[in-house]
C-alpha cells in the first residue's frame, strides 16, 4: 500500500491534485482475484486438463508406443458392457452411502446443534471429527477386524448367545457401505450442523406453540431450513464415494469391484492412463448429469 | 378465552431462585402487563405458562385444566416473539396456516381462516409473499395473525414490540389493543416499557426478584403503590421518612405530614411516597401538607418542567409542573410546595 502511494506521488509530482481512485476498479478486482485464479489453475485446471488430454491418447505417453489421437477410450462402456454393471454398482453404493449419511448425519447434527450447549457441544464435535483425523487406511482395516469371521462383532455375538453362527458380513456390499458411511459421515454432520445452528430457537418454539410435535418440527421446519447443508453434504459425500477405491477393495474383496477400483487399476496395474482418464471423465459427466436433473427437480419443487 | 391461573409456582436455576411462590390469576379476557426490571423473572414466568419451562413447584391452570405436565404443543397457546419467528421458507399464508394444519384444518376451510386472520391484521393480499419481503412491522402482524388464527386459550407476548421503532411500535400497540378487545382473548404481555404497560394493559403485575409485588389496575398501581419498589419502578416518587405521631407523620426535620393512608401504631417508622406531579408550587391554597425548599436545578422538557429541590435539612425533592408560563422560577429561589394528604401514600419499604 505504502509503496503504491509513493509511486503514484512520484509519477504525478507532489503538487498534483490527490485523486483517491488512481486505478480503474477492474484492475484492482483482477489483482485481488489473481491469486485465487492462479491457485485454481494450478490445482484444478491444469491436472484436469492434463488428464483430459491423456484421455484422447492411444497409449500412456511414458511407453515406447507411438501416440495418436483416439476416441476409443470413451467407447469403453459400449465395447466392454460389463463396465455398465460396475458403474451401476458404484452408483448404488453411492446412493446408499449418501442416504445413510444424510439420515444419521442430520440427526446427529440436530442433537449437536439443539440439545447441547457449551463444553459438551465442543467435546462432541471433536469426537465426531476424530475419524477425519485418523489415517483412512487404518480406519478401513480396523473395520475388517470388527467384521471378519471370529472378529469383534462375532465375539460380541457369541458372548450373548454362544451357539449362533457367524454374522460376519465382511466382503459384502454392506461392509463397503458401512466403511464409507463411517468415513464420510463427518462431512454431512458438519454441513448440517452449520446450517442448523443458524436457526433461531424462537422459530422452533413458535412451531411448538402452534401445536407441532418433534416430527413435524423435524420435517416441516428443520429439514427444509437446513436443506442447503444437507445438499452440500450430499454432494461432498456422493462424489468422492462413487470414485472411492480403498473401501471397496479392502472391505469388499471380490465383490468390491467399482468404478473407483477399475479406474485405479488403469493407473496402477494395467498402466492404461488414457482409459483411466476417460473413465474418470465419463463418471464426472454422469455425476454432473445426476446433479443437474436433481437440482432441476428441486427448483421446480420449490417453484410449485 | 379462559382464566389462566398460576399457583405457588417456584423455579430455581442452580442456586438462584428465579421465581418464588408466584400465585396470580389472569382473568378471562384481561390484558395483563408483566412489568419488572431486567432479571426479575418475567420471561421465566411467561415461559412456564407457555410450557417451555417446567416449574419446580406449583401448578399452572388454563381454564379448568391443570396443564403443569402438558407440553407446549398440547396447551393451545398463542405466542409472539421479539424476533417475529416467522418460518422463513414458507409463504405468509403457509405461516398462518401452520397451526391450523396441526389441528387438521386444511384446504378451503384453512384458506378462509387464513384470509380472515390476515384481514384482521390489515394485511390482506400478502398471502403469497415470503416473510423476507415484509417490513418488521408487517412481519410482526403476520406473527400475530398466526398466533390468533388457532383461537388460542391465551395469548403470550414477550416484549414483542421492542424490535420496532417508536412510531411502528405505537401503531402496533393500537392494533394489538384493538384485536385483543375484539377477540376478548386473555393476554399476558411482558414489557420493560412502563408507558406501554400502563396504556395497553387493564391489569399490571409488578415483579421484583422473582416475586409479584403488586397487581391491579394501572391507575390503582400507579396511584396507590404498596411498596417502595413499586412506587419507584413505576413512575417517579419522592420518599419522606418519619415516625408516626398522633395520626400523622413527623419527619426528621420536624415537619408534620398528613396522609390518607392507614398508619401503623404511634412511634413506628414509616415511608411516605409522593408523586412529583402531585406537588404544586404554593399558591397559598388549603392543601394540608407543605414543605419549604430551594431550587437546585430546573429541567425544561417542553410541556413539563421538572424542579429538583432541596429542603433546609438536606432532603432532595422532585416536582413536576405544567409549563403554563414558561420558566419563571430559577435556581436558588426558595419556594414552598403543597400537596394533599390524599396523594401521600404510606408504602412498605
Ligand atoms: N436457563 C437458565 N439458566 C440459569 N439461569 C437462568 C436461566 N434462565 C433465566 N435465568 C436467570 O433467571 C433470572 C430471570 O430471568 P428472566 O429471563 O426471566 O428475566 P426477565 O425478567 O425476563 O429479564 P429481561 O427483562 O432482561 O428479559 C435471571 O437472573 C437469569 O439470569
Ligand atoms: Mg425477558
Amino acid at each position: 500500500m505504502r509503496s503504491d502511494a509513493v509511486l503514484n506521488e512520484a509519477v504525478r509530482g507532489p503538487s498534483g491534485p490527490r485523486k483517491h481512485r488512481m486505478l480503474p476498479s477492474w484492475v484492482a478486482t483482477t489483482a485481488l482475484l489473481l491469486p485465487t485464479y492462479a491457485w485454481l489453475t494450478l490445482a484444478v485446471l491444469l491436472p484436469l486438463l492434463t488428464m483430459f488430454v491423456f484421455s484422447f491418447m492411444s497409449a500412456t505417453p511414458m511407453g515406447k508406443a507411438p501416440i495418436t489421437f483416439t476416441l476409443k477410450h470413451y467407447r469403453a462402456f459400449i465395447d466392454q458392457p460389463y463396465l455398465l454393471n460396475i458403474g451401476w454398482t458404484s452408483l448404488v453404493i453411492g446412493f446408499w452411502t449418501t442416504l445413510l449419511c444424510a439420515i444419521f448425519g442430520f440427526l446427529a447434527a440436530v442433537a449437536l446443534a439443539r440439545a447441547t450447549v457449551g463444553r459438551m457441544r465442543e467435546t462432541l464435535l471433536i469426537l465426531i471429527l476424530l475419524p477425519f483425523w485418523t489415517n483412512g487406511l487404518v480406519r478401513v482395516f480396523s473395520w475388517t477386524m470388527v467384521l471378519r469371521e471370529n472378529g469383534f462383532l462375532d465375539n460380541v455375538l457369541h458372548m450373548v448367545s454362544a451357539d449362533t453362527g457367524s454374522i460376519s458380513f465382511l466382503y459384502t456390499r454392506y461392509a463397503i457401505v458401512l466403511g464409507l458411511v463411517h468415513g464420510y459421515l463427518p462431512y454431512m454432520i458438519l454441513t448440517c450442523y452449520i446450517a442448523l445452528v443458524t436457526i433461531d430457537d424462537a422459530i422452533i418454539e413458535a412451531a411448538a406453540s402452534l401445536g407441532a410435535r418433534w416430527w413435524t418440527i423435524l420435517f416441516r421446519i428443520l429439514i427444509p431450513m437446513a436443506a442447503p447443508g444437507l445438499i452440500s453434504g450430499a454432494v461432498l459425500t456422493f462424489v468422492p464415494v462413487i470414485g472411492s477405491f480403498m473401501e471397496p477393495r479392502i472391505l469388499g474383496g471380490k465383490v468390491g469391484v467399482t468404478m473407483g477400483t477399475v479406474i485405479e487399476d488403469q493407473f496402477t496395474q494395467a498402466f492404461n492412463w488414457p482409459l483411466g482418464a476417460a473413465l474418470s471423465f465419463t463418471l464426472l459427466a454422469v455425476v454432473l448429469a445426476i446433479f443437474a436433473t436433481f437440482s432441476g427437480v428441486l427448483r421446480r419443487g420449490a417453484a410449485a | 378465552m379462559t382464566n389462566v391461573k398460576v399457583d405457588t409456582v417456584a423455579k430455581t436455576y442452580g442456586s438462584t431462585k428465579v421465581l418464588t411462590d408466584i400465585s396470580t390469576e389472569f382473568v378471562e379476557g384481561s390484558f395483563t402487563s408483566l412489568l419488572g426490571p431486567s432479571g426479575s423473572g418475567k420471561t421465566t414466568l411467561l415461559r412456564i405458562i407457555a410450557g417451555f419451562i417446567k416449574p419446580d413447584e406449583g401448578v399452572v391452570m388454563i381454564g379448568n385444566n391443570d396443564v403443569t405436565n402438558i407440553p407446549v404443543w398440547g396447551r393451545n397457546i398463542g405466542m409472539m416473539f421479539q424476533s417475529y419467528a416467522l418460518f422463513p421458507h414458507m409463504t405468509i399464508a403457509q405461516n398462518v396456516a401452520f397451526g391450523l394444519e396441526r389441528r387438521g384444518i386444511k384446504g378451503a376451510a384453512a384458506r378462509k381462516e387464513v384470509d380472515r386472520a390476515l384481514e384482521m391484521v390489515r394485511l390482506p393480499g400478502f398471502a403469497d409473499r415470503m416473510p423476507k419481503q415484509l417490513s418488521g412491522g408487517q412481519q410482526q402482524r403476520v406473527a400475530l395473525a398466526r398466533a390468533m388464527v388457532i383461537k388460542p386459550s391465551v395469548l403470550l407476548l414477550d416484549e414483542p414490540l421492542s424490535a420496532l421503532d417508536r412510531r411502528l411500535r405505537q401503531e402496533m400497540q393500537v392494533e394489538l389493543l384493538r384485536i385483543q378487545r375484539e377477540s376478548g382473548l386473555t393476554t399476558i404481555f411482558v414489557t420493560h416499557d412502563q408507558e406501554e404497560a400502563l396504556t395497553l394493559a387493564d391489569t399490571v403485575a409488578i415483579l421484583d426478584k422473582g416475586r409479584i409485588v403488586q397487581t391491579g389496575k394501572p391507575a390503582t398501581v400507579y396511584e396507590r403503590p404498596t411498596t417502595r419498589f413499586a412506587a419507584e419502578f413505576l413512575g417517579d416518587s419522592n420518599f419522606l421518612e418519619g415516625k408516626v405521631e398522633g395520626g400523622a407523620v413527623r419527619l426528621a426535620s420536624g415537619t408534620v405530614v398528613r396522609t390518607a393512608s392507614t398508619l401503623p401504631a404511634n412511634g413506628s417508622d414509616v415511608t411516605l411516597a409522593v408523586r412529583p406531579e402531585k406537588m404544586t408550587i404554593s399558591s397559598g391554597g388549603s392543601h394540608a401538607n407543605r414543605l419549604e425548599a430551594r431550587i437546585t436545578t430546573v429541567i425544561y422538557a417542553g410541556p413539563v418542567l421538572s424542579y429538583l429541590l432541596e429542603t433546609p435539612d438536606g432532603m432532595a425533592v422532585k416536582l413536576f409542573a405544567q409549563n403554563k408560563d414558561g420558566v419563571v422560577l430559577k435556581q436558588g429561589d426558595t419556594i414552598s410546595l403543597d400537596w394533599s394528604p390524599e396523594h401521600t401514600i404510606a408504602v412498605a419499604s
Side-chain angles (χ1 to χ4, degrees), chain B residues 74-266:
Chain B
R75 290 197 184 188
N76 197 38
I77 49 160
M79 188 104 198
M80 257 172 93
F81 300 85
Q82 192 177 333
S83 57
Y84 320 134
L86 296 183
F87 308 129
H89 57 296
M90 299 184 192
T91 65
I92 300 307
Q94 288 168 339
N95 262 278
V96 178
F98 187 85
L100 294 174
E101 261 176 67
R102 307 279 78 72
R103 285 155 181 77
I105 303 169
K106 293 196 171 98
R111 187 75 210 192
K112 220 175 83 193
E113 294 279 327
V114 168
D115 285 343
R116 261 229 315 266
L118 287 177
E119 222 155 272
M120 175 189 75
V121 296
R122 299 184 203 272
L123 286 176
F126 280 69
D128 296 322
R129 294 215 205 167
M130 298 304 284
K132 243 191 241 136
Q133 300 168 307
L134 269 58
S135 72
Q138 289 169 335
Q139 289 190 41
Q140 198 55 295
R141 283 161 194 253
V142 175
L144 180 59
R146 184 179 66 177
M148 296 286 294
V149 79
I150 60 169
K151 301 193 171 61
S153 316
V154 54
L155 183 62
L156 305 173
L157 312 100
D158 193 352
E159 309 198 32
L161 308 182
S162 43
L164 305 176
D165 67 43
R166 218 175 71 88
R167 284 202 45 164
L168 257 179
R169 199 178 163 126
Q170 287 171 346
E171 212 176 285
M172 273 303 285
Q173 286 174 0
V174 173
E175 203 81 334
L176 197 59
L177 200 59
R178 174 180 66 81
I179 289 167
Q180 197 271 336
R181 291 280 182 274
E182 278 172 13
S183 61
L185 186 60
T186 314
T187 303
I188 307 171
F189 185 98
V190 166
T191 178
H192 262 115
D193 181 342
Q194 14 176 309
E195 204 181 306
E196 193 167 85
L198 291 176
T199 49
L200 284 181
D202 46 42
T203 311
V204 176
I206 298 185
L207 264 93
D208 181 29
K209 300 193 194 91
R211 289 173 187 277
I212 293 187
V213 293
Q214 193 172 0
T215 315
K217 289 199 176 68
T220 314
V221 176
Y222 186 79
E223 303 290 339
R224 295 261 167 267
T226 52
T227 62
R228 184 177 178 131
F229 175 83
E232 210 166 19
F233 184 74
L234 197 63
D236 252 312
S237 279
N238 291 306
F239 295 105
L240 313 171
E241 316 219 356
K243 275 194 176 356
V244 180
E245 198 182 290
V249 176
R250 181 179 291 278
L251 307 185
S253 61
T255 315
V256 173
V257 176
R258 303 197 168 278
T259 169
S261 305
T262 10
L263 286 170
N266 267 350

Side-chain angles (χ1 to χ4, degrees), chain B residues 12-14 16-19 36-47 53 82 158-159 190-192 207:
Chain B
T12 307
Y13 283 118
T16 32
K17 279 200 150 184
V18 176
L19 291 178
S38 193
S40 56
K42 306 181 293 291
T43 299
T44 308
L45 178 56
L46 198 77
R47 293 172 68 80
I53 301 175
Q82 192 177 333
D158 193 352
E159 309 198 32
V190 166
T191 178
H192 262 115
L207 264 93

Side-chain angles (χ1 to χ4, degrees), chain A residues 200 202-214 216-217 220-222 224-225, chain B residues 47 52 72-73 77 79 81 83 85-90 98-99 101-103 146 150:
Chain A
D200 184 1
I203 286 181
I204 291 158
E205 290 178 351
S209 77
L210 292 165
R213 319 270 291 259
W214 67 264
T216 312
I217 291 174
R220 297 291 309 278
I221 310 289
L222 294 180
M225 282 185 76
Chain B
R47 293 172 68 80
F52 291 118
V72 197
W73 48 262
I77 49 160
M79 188 104 198
F81 300 85
S83 57
L86 296 183
F87 308 129
H89 57 296
M90 299 184 192
F98 187 85
E101 261 176 67
R102 307 279 78 72
R103 285 155 181 77
R146 184 179 66 177
I150 60 169

Side-chain angles (χ1 to χ4, degrees), chain B residues 11-25:
Chain B
K11 181 76 199 173
T12 307
Y13 283 118
S15 58
T16 32
K17 279 200 150 184
V18 176
L19 291 178
T20 316
D21 191 26
I22 301 268
S23 293
T24 188
E25 187 160 0

Side-chain angles (χ1 to χ4, degrees), chain A:
Chain A
M1 282 312 276
R2 265 242 328 269
S3 63
D4 270 356
V6 170
L7 201 74
N8 278 299
E9 197 83 350
V11 171
R12 269 186 283 106
S15 59
R18 284 199 79 87
K19 266 168 76 189
H20 286 284
R21 307 193 81 208
M22 288 161 293
L23 295 166
S25 64
W26 65 267
V27 176
T29 311
T30 313
L32 285 171
L33 287 178
L34 210 60
T36 312
Y37 284 131
W39 171 249
L40 277 179
T41 310
L42 208 67
V44 180
L45 227 51
L46 271 180
L48 269 182
L49 212 65
T50 316
M51 278 299 137
F52 197 58
V53 171
F54 273 13
S55 70
F56 294 106
M57 290 178 175
S58 55
T60 310
M62 274 161 266
K64 297 215 170 63
I67 309 290
T68 51
F69 174 87
T70 175
L71 283 172
K72 74 168 183 210
H73 302 306
Y74 283 96
R75 293 171 40 97
F77 278 95
I78 301 160
D79 296 339
Q80 292 146 289
Y82 73 93
L83 280 177
L84 281 178
N85 270 332
I86 295 174
W88 180 246
T89 305
S90 288
L91 290 180
V92 169
I93 288 176
F95 171 80
W96 283 109
T97 305
T98 309
L99 185 72
L100 290 172
C101 277
I103 293 170
F104 293 121
F106 195 84
L107 292 179
V110 169
L112 204 58
R114 294 275 138 218
T116 58
V117 281
R119 288 195 82 83
M120 173 93 162
R121 186 185 277 188
E122 288 160 25
T123 314
L124 282 175
L125 246 178
I126 289 173
L127 284 179
I128 282 164
L129 291 179
L130 223 53
F132 246 168
W133 297 340
T134 54
N135 184 306
L137 210 56
V138 172
R139 199 184 66 224
V140 178
F141 269 114
S142 67
W143 274 116
T144 65
M145 294 295 123
V146 174
L147 297 180
R148 78 192 155 87
E149 233 168 298
N150 290 321
F152 181 73
L153 194 64
D154 275 355
N155 283 336
V156 170
L157 180 76
H158 291 150
M159 261 189 274
V160 180
S161 75
D163 45 36
T164 40
S166 168
I167 53 160
S168 159
F169 61 96
L170 190 60
Y171 307 131
T172 64
R173 278 193 201 160
Y174 301 110
I176 301 175
V177 170
L178 180 71
L180 287 168
V181 168
H182 181 216
Y184 288 92
L185 198 57
Y187 288 106
M188 188 68 85
I189 294 178
L190 271 185
T191 55
C192 291
Y193 173 79
I194 289 164
L196 282 166
V197 284
T198 59
I199 299 175
D200 184 1
D201 286 340
I203 286 181
I204 291 158
E205 290 178 351
S209 77
L210 292 165
R213 319 270 291 259
W214 67 264
W215 59 84
T216 312
I217 291 174
L218 181 67
F219 287 107
R220 297 291 309 278
I221 310 289
L222 294 180
I223 291 178
M225 282 185 76
L230 263 175
I231 290 171
S232 43
V235 172
L236 281 177
T237 308
F238 187 72
V239 174
V241 159
I242 59 170
S244 65
F245 52 85
M246 197 169 67
E247 290 87 351
R249 236 184 217 167
I250 299 169
L251 297 173
K254 268 201 279 297
V255 304
V257 182
T258 63
M259 281 316 281
T261 62
V262 168
I263 292 170
E264 197 222 358
D265 279 344
Q266 302 315 311
F267 284 92
T268 59
Q269 310 288 318
F271 211 62
N272 192 350
W273 289 23
L275 178 60
L279 289 175
S280 297
F281 280 104
T282 313
L283 199 60
L284 182 66
V286 171
V287 169
L288 288 178
I290 290 172
F291 285 145
T293 321
F294 195 53
S295 73
V297 169
L298 275 187
R299 210 164 306 134
R300 234 168 298 130

